[in-house]
Amino acid sequence: MSEQLLLKVRGLRAEIDGKEILNGIDLDIRPGEVHAIMGPNGSGKSTFSAVLAGNPAYKVTGGTVEFHGKNLLELSPEDRSHEGLFLSFQYPVEIPGVSMVNFMRAAVNAKRKYFNEPALSAGDFLKLMRRKRAIVELDNKLASRSVNEGFSGGEKKRNEIFQMAVLEPRLSILDETDSGLDIDALRVVAGGVNQLKTADNSTIVITHYQRLLDYIRPDFVHVLYKGRIVRTGGPELALELEEKGYDWLKQL
Amino acid sequence: MNSDKNTNAGDIIQDVTSGDYKYGFVSDIDTEIIPVGLSEDVVRLISAKKHEPQWLLEFRLKAYRHWLTLTPPTWGHLKMPAIDFQAISYYAAPVKKEGPKSLDEVDPDILHTFDRLGIPLEEQKQLSGMAVDAVMDSVSVKTTHKEALAEKGIIFCSISEAVRDYPDLVKKYLGSVVSYKDNFYAALNSAVFSDGSFVYIPKGVRCPMELSTYFRINASGTGQFERTLIVADDDSYVSYLEGCTAPMRDENQLHAAIVEIVVEDRAEVKYSTVQNWYAGDREGRGGVYNLVTKRGLCRGDYSKLSWTQVETGSAITWKYPSCVLAGRGSTGEFYSVAVTRNYQQADTGTKMIHLAPDTRSTIVSKGISAGRSENSYRGLVKVTPAADRARNYTQCDSLLLGSHCGAHTFPYVDVMNPTATVEHEATTSKISEDQMFYCAQRGIPAEEAVGLIVNGYAKEVMNKLPMEFAVEAQRLLSLTLEGSIG
């Protein structure tokens, strides 16, 4: 425990439209760790990721979140991003007419501005794009297309990991990145995530299924149920869930 | 606890779309303004000040007398207070300072004004591919690159000079596309028009640079009534751009212009507008009433006229740049982005009149409404019995930013030839909270996100602008929707 925590969540509660979804979450994540959060539909997995990222549709009603020592809940969504929090969306939204190149340039330069760095030149930016594209085998054409417009399910998810590669976050939250992926796309996406892994950055993998965890090995597995973490274990917990399903939770 | 910065996307869009106007300054320039009011004497006075020939005075007087019989049109989806036409001064001109100066020398204060607007009038400072006619209030103060253009036989000058130097051309074409009888504001303009640009491209000449007119209202209590006439002779090509701004004032100022374009055989004219007249403040006080008649006649076979407009300014916009497709196989295009915010109102669109066989027209209209504004597309596609195999494609999209604004579509289709093909597509959409959050998660601040999304939405039209202006127009579109986030 000597190492500083990257993320420290204490008693986090949140609601949407007056309905409480998160019911007091505690979670510690250290640099370099991979945490899987599993649980049945409606247990609050996606809400947890949305609240961490600062989605204004959710209201935080209690608890604290520290992100490398900063009070995360006081930061705007864009500042959370600049500080190194990245959310890979379950359903990436389409933005017609806005090319991926322009979109990512706006994102990269907004972050540089936040850290008082000059904007990247067009040449340097395109070099960066090319380098990062290779990680998820995203072709050039995709990068010049409008953000997620007309992308297949697999392309959208690869595009999310591509953005993650460009922004180099400290904490990546992968919200059901495996949903809607065939096995080949899953391999590419997971391969990208693993390539981006370092001793300093951390990952939260939100998933229903053990399948993704065959590719992205978690250090910890948490079971979320009714807005709380009800069990925590190692990778073997995911296998147990695969075997037993989630019905046993109802007896808790 | 819940962060104060977590305002909802609707509030952010509201803030972002009510930002300030950057061109609202007033220049302290000695200006001669004639007393307010309109009468035959005023029409005569304007004509006399401009040393006009008798035929033009008569043209003005006929228009004035006809105007007296008309009432302002009320069919637009606009709430417009009655304009007191006797409370406006119809002529305002910067006074030339005394002293031994060459004819071409311009008052440094005026140069400074245009510099501040990003339109340097010294030729060496300009973009190389562009010539500018700068019009302040009622007169043209400077036209650049005239000599270089003259070498190719191209005439680019103020319409006052054209009346003096090329009377036959002006007499032949003035009023030939937009008659003074056309409508109330056209009659008014024909009676009192002050200045504007004249362009003539001779046969077979491809104009080597963009021609551009920059209109600036500076004086208060006046209106601007400019008149532009463009003639493209056989097999010629020209790309023309107009830009406009005005100071911020509490009063409403009237801008009633006419643009006439004649396109001969196989000639092509591209006319682009970036309209950024002062739009009034957040409460809807002040702003320019932009009541404009623009029409082109594709008289020649296989001629082509393309209108592109980016409308971001004016309290009220009432304009329908149109194409009369009289030449066989001629083509008309209309690409429009109209942005309204705060209490702005726009009723804009086009008319495509197919008179000849094999004529084609394309209409792409993108409306963007924010605040409490009202944004209407009004368009007519008319196919006459002679227009065999005429084709029209219309796409009409509306983007709503917020829930207190209005977007309306009034398409009129009048087809009298069974071989014609007419298509119409329309969509209405909103910037979703999901899109805003997606951008925010990637670190893109709200105002920049709205700018990106809006520019993406308008891309199809923005791509039609000449390169030199596309960047500027994109910036304007973002700036227009930018503001301080509370």
Side-chain angles (χ1 to χ4, degrees), chain A residues 178-248:
Chain A
D178 50 340
S179 70
L181 287 193
D182 60 32
I183 200 75
D184 293 327
L186 185 68
R187 204 174 286 140
V188 172
V189 165
V193 172
N194 289 329
Q195 277 184 66
L196 296 171
K197 197 80 219 60
T198 70
D200 298 322
N201 62 28
S202 311
T203 312
I204 298 177
V205 182
I206 292 174
T207 181
H208 275 289
Y209 305 107
Q210 146 70 19
R211 190 178 69 155
L212 179 63
L213 304 180
D214 287 341
Y215 297 94
I216 305 173
R217 288 277 305 168
D219 301 301
F220 298 93
V221 175
H222 309 277
V223 179
L224 193 65
Y225 183 62
K226 290 189 175 168
R228 309 183 64 144
I229 290 176
V230 294
R231 261 189 82 180
T232 293
E236 70 289 346
L237 179 56
L239 294 167
E240 190 188 328
L241 288 171
E242 181 84 344
E243 205 174 296
K244 297 203 313 201
Y246 291 111
D247 272 357
W248 58 274

Side-chain angles (χ1 to χ4, degrees), chain A residues 53-56 59-62 73 77-78 81-82 85-87 89 93-94 96-98 103 106-107 110 148 160 163, chain B residues 1-3 5-9 432-435 437-446 448 452-453 455-457 459:
Chain A
N55 188 329
K59 192 174 167 205
V60 176
T61 53
L73 300 179
E78 51 270 35
S81 168
H82 301 323
L85 188 141
F86 181 89
L87 172 60
F89 285 78
V93 65
E94 298 184 0
V98 178
F103 181 74
N148 292 322
E160 293 292 288
Q163 295 175 49
Chain B
M1 290 285 124
N2 192 25
S3 146
K5 287 184 181 169
N6 284 1
T7 44
N8 92 33
S432 70
E433 305 204 342
D434 288 348
Q435 286 173 326
F437 180 61
Y438 192 78
C439 292
Q441 209 302 302
R442 298 306 185 241
I444 302 171
E448 216 180 319
L452 265 179
I453 295 169
N455 271 305
Y457 164 80
K459 193 180 189 176

Side-chain angles (χ1 to χ4, degrees), chain A:
Chain A
M1 292 290 270
S2 61
E3 244 180 314
Q4 204 205 345
L5 289 174
L6 179 64
L7 186 77
K8 181 176 162 187
V9 182
R10 289 291 177 272
L12 184 64
R13 308 173 86 91
E15 58 176 46
I16 185 166
D17 302 331
K19 192 173 154 226
E20 185 154 79
I21 312 281
L22 300 186
N23 217 339
I25 290 188
D26 297 325
L27 182 65
D28 287 346
I29 297 180
R30 284 167 200 80
E33 291 177 350
V34 176
H35 290 242
I37 296 182
M38 304 181 74
N41 279 332
S43 58
K45 300 189 301 293
S46 286
T47 298
F48 183 50
S49 62
V51 167
L52 289 182
N55 188 329
Y58 297 88
K59 192 174 167 205
V60 176
T61 53
T64 58
V65 180
E66 273 179 36
F67 185 44
H68 56 86
K70 296 199 164 142
N71 181 349
L72 185 77
L73 300 179
E74 270 187 353
L75 300 176
S76 67
E78 51 270 35
D79 287 353
R80 296 181 195 200
S81 168
H82 301 323
E83 287 291 342
L85 188 141
F86 181 89
L87 172 60
S88 167
F89 285 78
Q90 184 177 1
Y91 303 109
V93 65
E94 298 184 0
I95 309 181
V98 178
S99 69
M100 272 311 296
V101 174
N102 279 343
F103 181 74
M104 285 318 289
R105 187 156 57 187
V108 166
N109 285 333
K111 183 173 178 181
R112 293 179 66 89
K113 192 174 166 190
Y114 180 78
F115 289 106
N116 290 319
E117 292 164 351
L120 275 190
S121 73
D124 286 346
F125 175 74
L126 290 174
K127 257 181 245 160
L128 174 73
M129 291 280 280
R130 210 171 304 134
R131 208 169 63 234
K132 301 295 186 177
R133 236 172 32 219
I135 293 172
V136 279
E137 300 165 33
L138 201 67
D139 67 31
N140 191 18
K141 267 182 253 145
L142 222 53
S144 58
R145 271 161 60 182
S146 297
V147 179
N148 292 322
E149 198 182 26
F151 284 32
S152 71
E155 285 170 341
K156 281 184 183 171
K157 296 301 171 75
R158 265 154 66 188
N159 191 23
E160 293 292 288
I161 305 306
F162 161 68
Q163 295 175 49
M164 175 177 145
V166 172
L167 293 173
E168 299 179 340
R170 295 184 199 221
L171 176 65
S172 304
I173 306 167
L174 310 182
D175 187 7
E176 305 211 14
T177 294
D178 50 340
S179 70
L181 287 193
D182 60 32
I183 200 75
D184 293 327
L186 185 68
R187 204 174 286 140
V188 172
V189 165
V193 172
N194 289 329
Q195 277 184 66
L196 296 171
K197 197 80 219 60
T198 70
D200 298 322
N201 62 28
S202 311
T203 312
I204 298 177
V205 182
I206 292 174
T207 181
H208 275 289
Y209 305 107
Q210 146 70 19
R211 190 178 69 155
L212 179 63
L213 304 180
D214 287 341
Y215 297 94
I216 305 173
R217 288 277 305 168
D219 301 301
F220 298 93
V221 175
H222 309 277
V223 179
L224 193 65
Y225 183 62
K226 290 189 175 168
R228 309 183 64 144
I229 290 176
V230 294
R231 261 189 82 180
T232 293
E236 70 289 346
L237 179 56
L239 294 167
E240 190 188 328
L241 288 171
E242 181 84 344
E243 205 174 296
K244 297 203 313 201
Y246 291 111
D247 272 357
W248 58 274
L249 285 169
K250 289 175 187 153
Q251 277 113 59
L252 284 179

Side-chain angles (χ1 to χ4, degrees), chain B residues 158-430:
Chain B
S158 74
I159 202 145
S160 310
E161 283 171 80
V163 167
R164 191 186 66 209
D165 299 341
Y166 313 98
D168 294 344
L169 277 176
V170 177
K171 205 169 172 176
K172 179 174 171 192
Y173 291 110
L174 189 77
S176 70
V177 183
V178 179
S179 147
Y180 66 84
K181 292 183 175 166
D182 193 80
N183 67 70
F184 181 84
Y185 299 108
L188 178 64
N189 175 289
S190 300
V192 302
F193 74 91
S194 40
D195 221 332
S197 301
F198 176 74
V199 175
Y200 175 78
I201 314 290
K203 284 189 176 145
V205 171
R206 202 180 158 85
C207 186
M209 55 180 89
E210 309 277 347
L211 302 185
S212 141
T213 303
Y214 196 90
F215 295 102
R216 173 72 177 172
I217 295 178
N218 188 53
S220 72
T222 61
Q224 191 173 49
F225 305 92
E226 89 270 2
R227 185 143 191 145
T228 298
L229 177 57
I230 298 172
V231 180
D233 217 327
D234 296 350
D235 301 291
S236 67
Y237 168 84
V238 65
S239 169
Y240 180 93
L241 182 119
E242 64 167 5
C244 24
T245 57
M248 293 160 72
R249 296 186 199 286
D250 284 346
E251 62 178 14
N252 293 109
Q253 287 189 285
L254 179 60
H255 173 252
I258 290 180
V259 175
E260 291 181 279
I261 301 175
V262 178
V263 197
E264 301 287 11
D265 285 352
R266 297 168 303 278
E268 180 178 350
V269 175
K270 221 173 125 65
Y271 191 106
S272 313
T273 304
V274 176
Q275 187 266 107
N276 191 22
W277 294 116
Y278 177 52
D281 67 12
R282 285 175 193 218
E283 275 76 49
R285 279 186 303 258
V288 170
Y289 292 166
N290 187 37
L291 313 168
V292 172
T293 306
K294 292 182 168 181
R295 192 174 306 146
L297 172 60
C298 285
R299 200 161 72 166
D301 290 349
Y302 305 99
S303 58
K304 181 175 177 184
L305 171 59
S306 184
W307 298 100
T308 304
Q309 60 173 21
V310 177
E311 303 278 316
T312 61
S314 299
I316 292 177
T317 295
W318 178 94
K319 68 180 259 198
Y320 314 90
S322 301
C323 300
V324 179
L325 303 171
R328 172 183 279 270
S330 58
T331 302
E333 294 176 339
F334 175 75
Y335 298 98
S336 170
V337 174
V339 185
T340 55
R341 59 191 189 129
N342 297 330
Y343 286 86
Q344 275 179 284
Q345 303 176 65
D347 191 300
T348 184
T350 184
K351 289 191 271 187
M352 293 292 174
I353 315 290
H354 294 256
L355 299 178
D358 301 308
T359 46
R360 288 177 298 157
S361 63
T362 302
I363 299 170
V364 177
S365 164
K366 303 266 183 180
I368 301 165
S369 332
R372 295 182 177 272
S373 68
E374 293 289 331
N375 198 333
S376 304
Y377 167 81
R378 187 182 303 276
L380 168 67
V381 176
K382 183 171 177 139
V383 180
T384 59
D388 290 332
R389 299 169 301 278
R391 296 184 74 98
N392 164 266
Y393 171 73
T394 299
Q395 184 192 331
C396 195
D397 298 330
S398 306
L399 181 68
L400 296 164
L401 313 181
S403 46
H404 299 292
C405 48
H408 316 273
T409 306
F410 304 100
Y412 305 84
V413 178
D414 185 3
V415 179
M416 290 177 284
N417 185 310
T419 64
T421 311
V422 175
E423 291 173 77
H424 184 102
E425 285 181 23
T427 66
T428 301
S429 52
K430 293 184 95 160

